[in-house]
């Protein structure tokens, strides 16, 4: 299949909307990461997303809307707390899980009786969804298991020949996927940390809890509330180790690790001005927010540069620490050294 690369002028957005409305697949920018969209009312189109990504069929998709008012057409039993969270954080990097109604096919929700809904803030995403005239089911636009794409170039690398079109809208601002909160049970549960922090959620919903799987790996046979958590994620070709703590101690430990790995091509993802000899250096950013924004593109860049091992400096500094740890620990398959 030929994959067209489209700009963001009105004519192209209208064309991309028509592709979605007729059952095709379009990748598009959002403020979090690039999404791979299909008509959420069309089960065959949704099935094509799983095929294009190589995504396990039991991992449900997030339904994207262009206006908050569209939620009532997709979900039912919406609690007062859920409505408060919606008005506080939508449009934005926030996904809410609610009891689904009959309009959403099982292919989108992987047979679950709940649906994940997000209204992105990115103007291109909003214009595209509006142009399609339907809610748009969209996971991240990467091959399953790879780091999520934060530029059109990342999507082109993973999806060329697999989807109908890619809209190039520049780099994503948040850089990690949306915060997911389930409001389908007794208490709101944060299932995945992202651009909206846990503290911000608790200001609106003080009884919110953090799912235990946010920072841990899933045990054998365990069925997490968020099916995506049990899969291998964000895995670059390089073997990643996180070295976490005060940045002086982190520097000493990474120097030791670089010496032990002196026969291999090493990379270091920094959060400081620390210099390292004989390693490929990429700067993640000084704040956790900036580090989140650059994380996935850095992991892809290390692969492109041929790094075999990557050591990632990390120190928790702000509300984005949870979102970074959640992605970084998975990228490192939980290999974390605390100093
Ligand atoms: P992605 O769009 O690639 O960020 O993946 C969407 C994430 O949302 C996956 O981890 C899914 O497991 C999760 N998700 C989607 N729908 C639901 C749902 N109804 N209940 C729980 N988790 C969901
Ligand atoms: Mg994903």
């Amino acid at each position: 299949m030929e994959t067209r690369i489209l700009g963001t002028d009105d004519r192209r957005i209208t064309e991309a909307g028509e592709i979605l409305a007729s059952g095709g697949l379009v990748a598009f920018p959002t403020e979090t990461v690039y999404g791979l969209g299909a008509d959420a009312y069309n089960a065959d189109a949704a099935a094509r997303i799983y095929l294009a990504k190589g995504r396990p069929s039991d991992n449900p998709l997030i339904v994207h809307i262009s206006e908050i008012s569209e939620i009532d057409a997709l979900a039912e039993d919406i609690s007062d707390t859920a409505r408060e969270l919606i008005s506080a954080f939508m449009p934005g990097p926030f996904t809410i899980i609610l009891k689904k109604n009959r309009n959403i096919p099982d292919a989108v929700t992987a047979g679950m009786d709940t649906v994940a809904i997000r209204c992105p803030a990115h103007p291109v995403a909003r214009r595209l969804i509006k142009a399609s005239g339907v809610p748009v089911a969209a996971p991240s636009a990467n091959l399953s298991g790879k780091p999520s794409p934060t530029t059109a170039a990342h999507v082109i690398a993973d999806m060329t020949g697999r989807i109908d079109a890619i809209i190039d809208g520049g780099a994503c601002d948040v850089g990690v996927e949306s915060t997911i909160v389930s409001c389908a049970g007794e208490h709101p549960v944060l299932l995945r940390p992202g651009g909206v922090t846990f503290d911000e959620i608790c200001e609106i919903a003080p009884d919110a809890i953090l799912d235990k799987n946010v920072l841990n790996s899933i045990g054998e046979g365990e069925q997490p509330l968020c099916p995506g958590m049990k899969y291998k994620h964000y895995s670059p070709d390089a073997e990643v180790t996180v070295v976490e703590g005060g940045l002086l101690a982190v520097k000493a430990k990474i120097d030791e690790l670089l010496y032990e790995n002196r026969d291999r091509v090493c990379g270091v993802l920094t959060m400081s001005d620390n210099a390292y000899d004989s390693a490929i250096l990429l700067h993640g950013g000084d704040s956790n927010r900036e580090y989140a924004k650059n994380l996935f593109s850095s992991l892809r860049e290390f692969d492109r540069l041929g790094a075999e091992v990557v050591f990632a400096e990390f120190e928790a500094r702000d509300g984005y620490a949870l979102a970074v740890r959640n992605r970084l620990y998975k990228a490192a398959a939980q290999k974390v050294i605390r100093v």
Side-chain angles (χ1 to χ4, degrees):
M1 161 192 304
E2 192 208 341
T3 303
R4 296 175 58 205
I5 315 295
L6 304 177
T8 59
D9 53 290
D10 283 345
R11 215 178 98 216
R12 296 301 182 215
I13 297 289
T14 305
E15 271 178 59
E18 282 162 5
I19 296 173
L20 287 174
S22 58
L25 301 187
V26 177
F28 59 97
T30 80
E31 71 275 31
T32 59
V33 302
Y34 271 72
L36 176 57
D39 174 0
Y41 288 149
N42 180 336
D44 293 335
R48 267 180 229 126
I49 288 183
Y50 289 89
L51 203 65
K53 280 181 61 88
R55 183 177 177 100
S57 60
D58 67 348
N59 191 6
L61 311 175
I62 295 173
V63 177
H64 292 66
I65 53 179
S66 61
E67 296 299 334
I68 295 167
S69 56
E70 292 161 44
I71 290 179
D72 290 287
L74 306 171
E76 47 196 50
D77 296 345
I78 307 174
S79 67
D80 291 345
T81 305
R83 294 218 184 260
E84 283 171 39
L85 289 168
I86 289 164
S87 64
F89 303 119
M90 283 191 198
F94 175 75
T95 295
I96 194 156
I97 295 190
L98 298 166
K99 188 157 180 267
K100 82 165 181 170
N101 70 18
R102 262 175 294 157
N103 297 335
I104 299 293
D106 278 346
V108 169
T109 59
M112 294 177 85
D113 59 3
T114 53
V115 59
I117 303 173
R118 172 160 124 79
C119 179
H122 197 294
V124 173
R126 300 274 291 280
R127 283 165 58 213
L128 172 69
I129 299 164
K130 205 163 273 188
S132 75
V134 289
V136 173
S140 50
N142 51 289
L143 286 174
S144 216
K146 288 284 163 204
S148 297
T150 56
T151 65
H154 299 157
V155 184
I156 292 168
D158 279 15
M159 288 297 158
T160 299
R162 294 173 167 265
I163 64 177
D164 298 284
I166 298 168
I167 300 178
D168 185 347
C172 302
D173 188 42
V174 177
V176 291
E177 306 87 340
S178 58
T179 300
I180 302 182
V181 174
S182 171
C183 285
E186 200 181 324
H187 295 276
V189 186
L190 187 138
L191 297 178
R192 180 175 73 185
V196 174
T197 66
F198 185 52
D199 285 350
E200 288 172 317
I201 300 290
C202 290
E203 273 174 33
I204 307 288
D207 62 333
I209 51 179
L210 199 59
D211 189 84
K212 67 177 172 35
N213 292 319
V214 166
L215 288 180
N216 301 317
S217 52
I218 310 292
E220 186 96 9
E222 198 183 336
Q223 221 21 275
L225 281 174
C226 181
M229 283 181 172
K230 65 176 181 281
Y231 291 107
K232 196 171 168 220
H233 256 86
Y234 318 127
S235 312
D237 299 332
E239 186 188 315
V240 179
T241 299
V242 183
V243 184
E244 182 171 333
L247 290 172
L248 273 179
V250 164
K251 158 88 174 129
K253 184 68 199 177
I254 292 182
D255 277 334
E256 206 179 298
L257 292 165
L258 286 173
Y259 185 74
E260 282 167 20
N261 286 276
R262 60 192 176 282
D263 297 337
R264 305 167 83 187
V265 182
C266 295
V268 182
L269 182 59
T270 62
M271 248 197 81
S272 63
D273 300 334
N274 288 340
Y276 294 95
D277 291 335
S278 60
I280 303 164
L281 293 192
L282 294 177
H283 188 57
D286 297 320
S287 68
N288 289 169
R289 190 185 201 295
E290 223 186 307
Y291 198 93
K293 177 174 175 162
N294 295 320
L295 178 61
F296 291 140
S297 56
S298 304
L299 294 176
R300 283 179 181 258
E301 184 64 5
F302 280 123
D303 280 350
R304 208 184 59 80
L305 295 170
E308 294 168 276
V309 252
V310 168
F311 303 109
E313 294 190 336
F314 188 67
E315 182 179 52
R317 288 189 180 161
D318 55 56
Y320 270 67
L322 194 61
V324 173
R325 278 196 182 114
N326 173 264
R327 307 326 190 268
L328 199 51
Y329 289 10
K330 283 185 183 173
Q334 308 291 328
K335 277 198 301 302
V336 182
I337 300 173
R338 292 188 180 82
V339 292

